[in-house]
Each structure stands twice: as structure tokens, then as C-alpha cells.
């Protein structure tokens, strides 16, 4: 793309730490090429409802703390589009893009957003490039998404704190973490925090074997334990627990920690159990150095791709570097789950953690 082009940038899906560092990188790299950048507010809503946007320049991010903070400067939208209204929203999207005179759009989102927004773009002349972000780290092809490192760090700090209070009171403390259908966040932080048990949606488990592990801990002379559970695991009888529903009627998971606590308590009396549900603090907090550096590399690469005339691509981190893959490949793959045979699980088992029935 030559000088004088206009691009839009938006954040879509659940927020996470590092989004503002991505926005800054896109704005800086594009502005230095002489392009105009419009920040679109509240995900695609800023294009599909009443137009809501602002022009972003290097100054917007150079003398404010925003790039060092969690949240999204632009606002975001999680699961706000019903599939049955996709056609209708697509039309409004095309009108919004035309009104703003955008040549290209950088979408900072997870697997769902890549799917939905790339569908919207198909009906327009707009060139889209995606940048993966999610605390779930389940966006296909990329090894890391922006926000995951910070969320792992938040969960690990929580495990460290729980370990100390568990020690004081001789308890088995349960930490319920996010991740929806993928166990990356749970397993990564359980490894870092040296938890005794980690349960993820990808691996079935038996409560009796959790108790067996707690008995081993007790027999070893330690009278406290930490159990990490991913919100997306099912009960032993195969049910997903949930508290609420999102805007498109999907269950928002929650409650599995309490279920396990009650089950463990009723079968084994040596440890009292208590539950901490970490919730949305995992989505915020000061972004780690890794997330900020990744955000900057992704933002710069996205602008380079557009400058080279490449679009319908998503930037990725793979084999130690930043690369790009066709968005269609990302959409085709769906969600990347934790590999039960992979190195994280292997290391957990070899160091004595109960991870379920492999
Ligand atoms: O996809 C990110 C995520 O934080 C999941 O881990 C979690 O299940 C979901 O979003 C929560 O969504 P909401 O913020 O809409 O409750």
C-alpha cells in the first residue's frame, strides 16, 4: 500500500493484557509509512452500528501510559453477534467501511473474531490482517497469542499465594482458572506454580484419584496442597457447570471448583478444601515483557504485510519468529486444544502432578 492510505484497527472478543501495546505498534508502524489510522471503538460495533471511531496518531500513545496497561483503549466486544444475523450485520459492516473510506483493517482478536470478521470482509474490497490475542492461547497455528503470558503470570502468582495460606491452615486449596474449552492456561500456570493436581478439559479425571494424590501428599509429610482446575472441565457425570449465558446464549462456564470441593470434602476428611475463582483478573494486569514484545512484533508485521499488498493473513509466532499464514487456514483449524501427549503434560506427570486419566 502506498502513502496516503487509510487503515482501521479494532480489538474484538474478550480483552486481555497487551492489546494497547498492539494498537500502539500498528499506529506507529502505519503512521511512519504516511498512512492514516482510525481506531474503531467496541470491536466491529464501531463499524456496524452508529460509526464510532477516532483518528490515532503516534502522539496518542507516546505520552500516555496506555501501552503499558491492560484493557483495550478502543473497547471490545465478546460474542456479540448472533450467527442468524450475520448477513444483516455484514451489510452494515460494508457500509461502515465505505463511509470511513478504509483500505484495510487490522483485527486484533481470537479464533472466533478471525472467523466472523474475515467473513464480513469477504463482501467488501477491504484487506484484512489478523493479530491473535487471547488468554486461552487456543487460536490455531500460532504458538503464542498476545495476553496469554500475562494471564499465566496472574494465575501463577495466585497459586503461589494459595500455597502459603494452604500451608498455614493445612488445606487443599482449589484454584479455578479460565480457558473455556482449552487447558493451556491451567496447565501452564500449574506447572509454573508446582500445583499437585491440574485438571483440563482435554483429559478426563477421577475424583478418587485426586484423593489418592492428596493421600500421597499427606503420606510424604506435607499437609497442604494446591489443585488447579480449568473452568471448562465437566463433572464426573459429564456436565458443564455454568453461572450465566453470554450475548449469543452460550454458557459462560463457572462452578466446577465448588463442585470438586464438595466432592473431595465428602470423600476425604484429612484436608479441608476452599475455592478461589480467579475470574476476570486473568484478563487484565500489567502486561508481561513477553506480551509487550510480542504485541510490538505482531503490530509491525501486520503493517508490513499490508504494505507488501498481502492480506487475508494472520500474523503468528512460530519456531522462534514472527510469520504469517492465510486466515482461511486459521479458520479451518478451529480451536487449538492442549495436547495430552505434549511436553507440558509430560513434564507435569514426570514431576508428580495428577493431571487426570491419560
Ligand atoms: O476467551 C476468553 C475468555 O476469558 C475465556 O477464558 C472465558 O471463558 C470467557 O472469555 C469469559 O467471557 P466473558 O468475559 O464474556 O464472561
Amino acid at each position: 500500500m502506498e502513502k496516503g492510505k487509510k487503515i482501521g484497527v479494532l480489538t474484538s472478543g474478550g480483552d486481555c493484557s497487551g492489546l494497547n501495546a498492539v494498537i500502539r505498534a500498528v499506529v506507529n508502524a502505519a503512521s511512519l509509512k504516511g498512512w492514516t489510522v482510525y481506531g474503531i471503538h467496541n470491536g466491529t460495533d464501531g463499524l456496524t452500528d452508529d460509526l464510532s471511531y477516532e483518528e490515532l496518531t503516534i502522539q496518542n500513545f507516546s505520552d500516555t501510559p496506555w501501552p503499558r496497561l491492560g484493557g483495550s483503549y478502543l473497547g471490545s466486544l465478546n460474542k456479540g453477534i448472533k450467527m442468524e444475523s450475520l448477513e444483516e450485520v455484514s451489510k452494515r459492516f460494508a457500509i461502515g467501511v465505505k463511509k470511513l473510506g478504509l483500505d484495510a483493517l487490522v483485527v486484533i482478536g481470537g479464533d472466533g473474531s478471525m472467523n466472523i470478521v474475515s467473513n464480513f470482509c469477504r463482501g467488501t474490497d477491504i484487506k484484512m490482517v489478523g493479530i491473535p490475542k487471547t488468554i486461552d492461547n487456543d487460536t490455531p497455528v500460532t504458538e503464542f497469542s498476545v495476553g496469554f503470558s500475562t494471564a499465566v503470570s496472574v494465575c501463577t502468582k495466585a497459586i503461589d499465594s494459595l500455597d502459603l495460606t494452604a500451608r498455614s491452615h493445612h488445606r487443599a486449596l482449589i484454584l479455578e482458572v479460565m480457558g473455556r474449552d482449552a487447558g493451556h492456561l491451567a496447565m501452564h500456570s500449574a506447572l509454573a506454580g508446582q500445583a499437585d493436581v491440574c485438571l483440563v478439559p482435554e483429559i478426563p479425571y477421577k475424583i478418587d484419584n485426586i484423593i489418592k494424590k492428596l493421600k500421597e501428599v499427606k503420606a510424604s509429610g506435607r499437609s497442604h496442597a494446591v489443585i488447579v482446575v480449568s473452568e471448562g472441565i465437566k463433572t464426573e457425570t459429564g456436565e458443564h457447570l455454568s453461572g450465566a449465558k453470554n450475548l449469543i446464549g452460550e454458557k459462560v462456564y463457572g462452578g466446577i471448583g465448588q463442585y470438586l470441593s464438595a466432592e473431595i470434602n465428602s470423600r476425604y476428611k484429612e484436608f479441608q478444601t476452599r475455592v478461589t475463582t480467579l475470574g476476570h483478573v486473568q484478563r487484565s494486569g500489567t502486561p508481561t515483557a513477553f506480551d509487550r514484545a510480542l504485541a510490538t512484533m505482531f503490530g509491525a508485521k501486520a503493517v508490513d504485510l499490508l504494505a507488501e499488498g498481502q492480506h487475508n493473513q494472520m500474523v503468528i509466532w512460530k519456531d522462534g519468529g514472527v510469520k504469517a499464514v492465510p486466515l482461511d487456514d486459521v479458520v479451518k483449524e478451529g480451536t487449538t486444544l492442549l495436547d495430552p501427549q505434549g511436553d507440558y503434560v509430560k513434564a507435569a506427570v514426570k514431576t508428580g502432578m495428577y493431571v487426570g486419566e491419560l
Side-chain angles (χ1 to χ4, degrees):
M1 267 180 15
E2 325 82 62
K3 247 182 157 177
K5 292 290 178 189
K6 262 189 212 168
I7 68 166
V9 58
L10 61 83
T11 54
S12 175
D15 70 348
C16 62
S17 286
L19 294 177
N20 298 314
V22 184
I23 300 168
R24 170 197 172 261
V26 170
V27 170
N28 281 18
S31 302
L32 290 172
K33 289 192 187 298
W35 302 351
T36 303
V37 184
Y38 286 154
I40 313 297
H41 295 154
N42 305 322
T44 47
D45 265 9
L47 286 169
T48 58
D49 292 353
D50 290 336
L51 281 186
S52 180
Y53 64 96
E54 64 189 280
E55 188 173 336
L56 298 174
T57 64
I58 290 179
Q59 278 67 38
N60 279 94
F61 294 102
S62 65
D63 61 358
T64 72
W66 270 106
R68 302 169 209 282
L69 301 176
S72 169
Y73 173 84
L74 294 171
S76 194
L77 173 72
N78 201 9
K79 302 266 168 71
I81 299 157
K82 288 198 176 115
M83 289 318 257
E84 64 266 29
S85 63
L86 206 63
E87 212 177 306
E88 170 57 26
V89 186
S90 277
K91 277 188 205 146
R92 297 210 302 269
F93 176 85
I95 294 168
V97 164
K98 208 166 187 166
K99 274 194 191 155
L100 278 190
L102 297 179
D103 298 297
L105 187 64
V106 177
V107 175
I108 309 164
D111 52 343
S113 301
M114 294 302 156
N115 186 4
I116 289 174
V117 188
S118 62
N119 264 320
F120 286 175
C121 289
R122 256 182 258 281
T124 70
D125 296 335
I126 198 161
K127 300 170 174 62
M128 169 180 162
V129 169
I131 298 181
K133 66 84 223 170
T134 165
I135 67 163
D136 303 347
N137 210 35
D138 59 351
T139 308
V141 197
T142 187
E143 288 164 7
F144 290 108
S145 292
V146 172
F148 178 62
S149 159
T150 308
V152 169
S153 168
V154 171
C155 295
T156 305
K157 277 186 202 144
I159 298 170
D160 289 349
S161 299
L162 291 175
D163 180 75
L164 290 171
T165 172
R167 173 186 287 268
S168 308
H169 289 273
H170 314 302
R171 286 174 169 162
L173 293 181
I174 299 172
L175 178 70
E176 181 179 318
V177 303
M178 284 185 165
R180 193 137 183 109
D181 301 307
H184 304 286
L185 183 55
M187 188 55 73
H188 216 106
S189 50
L191 270 189
Q194 301 164 33
D196 299 290
V197 174
C198 177
L199 305 178
V200 293
E202 294 87 345
I203 306 175
Y205 65 92
K206 287 194 177 132
I207 293 172
D208 283 342
N209 286 341
I210 301 175
I211 291 166
K212 186 168 164 250
K213 177 69 209 174
L214 294 178
K215 286 180 178 167
E216 282 168 19
V217 167
K218 191 89 183 162
S220 77
R222 179 154 55 95
S223 56
H224 72 280
V226 177
I227 298 172
V228 176
V229 297
S230 191
E231 61 176 0
I233 65 168
K234 294 180 179 161
T235 62
E236 252 190 341
T237 49
E239 271 171 277
H240 265 139
L241 299 181
S242 80
K245 289 193 174 166
N246 66 20
L247 292 171
I248 60 166
E250 277 177 353
K251 281 182 175 180
V252 175
Y253 297 147
I256 194 71
Q258 292 293 352
Y259 159 83
L260 286 170
S261 170
E263 288 294 324
I264 294 168
N265 259 322
S266 69
R267 300 184 205 187
Y268 183 56
K269 307 287 177 204
E270 292 294 316
F271 286 117
Q272 277 188 60
T273 56
R274 294 285 190 278
V275 183
T276 301
T277 303
L278 214 43
H280 288 80
V281 291
Q282 295 160 93
R283 295 241 296 257
S284 194
T286 303
T288 58
F290 180 78
D291 267 338
R292 292 190 225 180
L294 189 68
T296 308
M297 287 187 277
F298 277 178
K301 177 74 175 179
V303 171
D304 271 351
L305 288 172
L306 291 172
E308 289 159 11
Q310 295 195 50
H311 50 96
N312 290 333
Q313 304 272 317
M314 185 180 83
V315 301
I316 58 164
W317 180 265
K318 200 159 177 61
D319 303 328
V322 180
K323 303 182 172 65
V325 287
L327 266 170
D328 285 346
D329 292 359
V330 176
V331 170
K332 242 183 272 156
E333 274 207 38
T335 299
T336 302
L337 298 179
L338 180 76
D339 178 3
Q341 315 303 330
D343 288 340
Y344 289 98
V345 177
K346 271 189 199 153
V349 172
K350 286 184 181 173
T351 54
M353 194 187 293
Y354 174 67
V355 298
E357 306 299 305
L358 286 166

